[in-house]
Amino acid sequence: AELERLAADLRTAETAVAFTGAGISAPSGVPTFRGDDGVWEAFDEGQFTYDRFQRDPAGFWADRVELHRTMFDAEYEPNAAHDALAELNRDGHLEAILTQNTDGLHAKAATAARGNDSDGDDSSDGRESVEEAAEFSARETILELHGNARRVRCSDCGRREPMEPIVERAEDGELPPTCGCGGTYKPDVVLFGERLPETVLQRARSLARESDVFLAIGSSLVVEPAASLPRTAASNEATVGIVNLESTPVDSVADSCLQEDVTTALPRLQELVELS
Ligand code: OAD
């Protein structure tokens, strides 16, 4: 019944926004950060700070390669939950998908939902396509608040490259890996102690303020801005729905809390929205 109410709210919403965290990618095999099997049990968060990247880029990259191999070991694919959101977005029921995830799976699901023909040009690696992918995320309605771990960016000239070849260079002993311009490559993600990109954050905040439905999905909602975006939506009269296996500190301001697996809840929600 809660799902039906949410579906009804989504159907009539003018601006509905989804906000996701690691839990939406867990069924694709990507590890989450917190909890017993979380990445921060095996790795020390303190090794991945912006400060360390600046002080000790070689040590940072040595550890980052290990983290990368743990988190992105396989060719992960979007799951039914990513697909459901991509289809709701494509069909005009979701204004935007805001994500804390850096795995790029929302963009991949969006491409699939749009019939793989985003631009016709699909030259798989090389610089053009990475830049294009970066722009694709910005242009489309997917906002990657923490960046994208499939790319690196030169900290001097800003050039972007796919992550995999750079990780291989680091594994072959190039520590830290550097750009042709001499600058050090940095994963194209927000590190601890680093500010979120201002334009993306502003857009996320204004979407949260404008939304009349705000869905928080697969996030523990304990770090910023995750903790405050749904609160902002709630204090602006939005209907707030939370889909997460465990309870969160934001549950008290939410209108409905579904403690369910994302891969069952979201396809059902989508079906209910599109059915009527
Ligand atoms: P967390 O690992 O903190 O939380 C993931 C949540 O997803 C947990 O509350 C799980 O209960 C839930 N979950 C797991 N599998 C699920 C499933 N199949 N269906 C529904 N829920 C499920 O991840 P985030 O909240 O995304 O930041 O973490 C936020 C940020 O903290 C990350 O972006 C990262 C991290 O440190 C940076 O790296 C900057």
Side-chain angles (χ1 to χ4, degrees):
E2 266 192 298
L3 209 60
E4 271 155 27
R5 259 195 297 133
L6 259 190
D9 288 334
L10 264 175
R11 235 180 289 123
T12 52
E14 227 168 89
T15 307
V17 172
F19 174 68
T20 70
I24 196 169
S25 294
S28 294
V30 185
T32 59
F33 293 97
R34 296 173 184 80
D36 291 344
D37 299 326
V39 165
W40 300 142
E41 286 297 313
F43 289 87
D44 174 3
E45 286 179 63
Q47 303 305 316
F48 301 98
T49 61
Y50 188 55
D51 180 57
R52 181 168 188 222
F53 170 76
Q54 288 182 306
R55 262 187 308 110
D56 174 23
F60 170 90
W61 265 103
D63 289 336
R64 181 71 198 190
V65 163
E66 266 189 63
L67 178 72
H68 183 81
R69 288 298 181 219
T70 303
M71 287 204 76
F72 298 105
D73 205 12
E75 273 301 308
Y76 296 127
E77 290 297 331
N79 60 53
H82 296 103
D83 290 341
L85 292 185
E87 285 163 31
L88 284 168
N89 180 222
R90 178 198 64 197
D91 298 340
H93 297 295
L94 263 186
E95 177 89 8
I97 299 167
L98 316 182
T99 189
Q100 303 169 84
N101 300 343
T102 61
D103 54 35
L105 291 179
H106 284 299
K108 212 167 177 183
T111 308
R114 281 158 213 270
N116 296 312
D117 62 356
S118 58
D119 248 343
D121 179 15
D122 217 37
S123 48
S124 59
D125 56 9
R127 176 148 188 257
E128 257 71 54
S129 65
V130 218
E131 292 289 1
E132 271 167 23
E135 274 160 27
F136 175 80
S137 321
R139 191 174 64 234
E140 297 290 318
T141 49
I142 297 160
L143 271 76
E144 292 172 327
L145 292 167
H146 291 167
N148 191 312
R150 296 276 175 202
R151 301 189 299 259
V152 293
R153 188 163 189 268
C154 173
S155 44
D156 284 352
C157 73
R159 179 188 172 100
R160 288 191 170 100
E161 296 283 350
M163 174 64 91
E164 184 58 33
I166 302 299
V167 164
E168 283 167 19
R169 276 163 54 181
E171 282 172 332
D172 289 343
E174 188 187 337
L175 290 172
T178 51
C179 172
C181 84
T184 304
Y185 280 127
K186 184 179 134 331
D188 198 6
V189 300
V190 175
L191 300 176
F192 292 106
E194 193 176 16
R195 298 164 73 94
L196 269 66
E198 197 53 39
T199 47
V200 180
L201 188 57
Q202 300 252 347
R203 174 108 204 280
R205 289 206 176 111
S206 69
L207 279 164
R209 272 194 305 272
E210 283 164 28
S211 65
D212 27 34
V213 175
F214 189 97
L215 301 177
I217 300 157
S219 175
S220 56
L221 302 177
V222 294
V223 300
E224 287 302 332
S228 53
L229 286 173
R231 293 183 198 279
T232 300
S235 55
N236 286 274
E237 316 287 286
T239 298
V240 173
I242 295 179
V243 184
N244 202 57
L245 280 183
E246 59 187 13
S247 60
T248 79
V250 184
D251 288 4
S252 53
V253 305
D255 298 275
S256 53
C257 300
L258 298 159
Q259 293 193 1
E260 268 189 61
D261 190 295
V262 291
T263 56
T264 55
L266 294 184
R268 269 174 38 227
L269 179 66
Q270 187 224 352
E271 215 173 287
L272 288 168
V273 173
E274 313 246 5
L275 228 135
S276 44

